[in-house]
Amino acid sequence: QVQLVESGGGLVQAGGSLRLSCAASGRTFSSYVMGWFRQAPGNEREFVATISASGARTYYADSVKGRFTISRDNAKNTVYLQMNSLKPEDTAVYSCAAADSWARGTAELYNYWGQGTQVTVSS
């Protein structure tokens, strides 16, 4: 089992940047595929990005491709989401999640979830 805690959210102006972190407990972090999802008020949860257990493979939603970068540091049990060129439509609660195998954007395949961190982008 793994517990996930996100940090790094906040208020930023459009065009700005933020880096989210997701710290995981447990010794087996390096065996999990990690993903980031987001949910805005009134909207369904949306896939953002995912990274393989080794970090060699990544996959992004079209809406963030070229602006966001997912990475991980298995020695620190942490996965990151670097968000650049932020837009007001990126405003949401961002959550990280862990999966036992490659799951791309399928939320149902992620077994563990953090509580989320709020990102607000002002215009």
Side-chain angles (χ1 to χ4, degrees):
Q1 190 170 358
V2 61
Q3 293 183 329
L4 305 172
V5 179
E6 302 93 339
S7 62
L11 174 64
V12 64
Q13 290 188 334
S17 298
L18 281 176
R19 188 176 83 153
L20 304 183
S21 298
C22 173
S25 65
R27 301 178 182 176
T28 59
F29 172 77
S30 60
S31 68
Y32 288 102
V33 171
M34 298 299 297
W36 285 97
F37 291 77
R38 67 186 181 185
Q39 188 167 20
N43 289 0
E44 293 185 353
R45 183 168 52 196
E46 176 188 14
F47 166 75
V48 176
T50 186
I51 188 166
S52 63
S54 67
R57 186 179 183 186
T58 58
Y59 177 72
Y60 296 91
D62 288 342
S63 58
V64 306
K65 200 174 297 182
R67 300 189 299 122
F68 291 11
T69 302
I70 189 171
S71 62
R72 67 190 296 161
D73 185 339
N74 286 342
K76 295 182 178 180
N77 281 11
T78 302
V79 61
Y80 305 98
L81 186 68
Q82 177 67 44
M83 305 185 295
N84 299 329
S85 302
L86 283 161
K87 305 174 182 180
E89 51 263 43
D90 294 318
T91 296
V93 174
Y94 285 71
S95 299
C96 65
D100 293 322
S101 59
W102 188 246
R104 296 184 71 176
T106 306
E108 291 75 14
L109 297 181
Y110 288 81
N111 308 105
Y112 305 104
W113 293 82
Q115 292 298 311
T117 185
Q118 176 70 46
V119 171
T120 303
V121 184
S122 63
S123 57

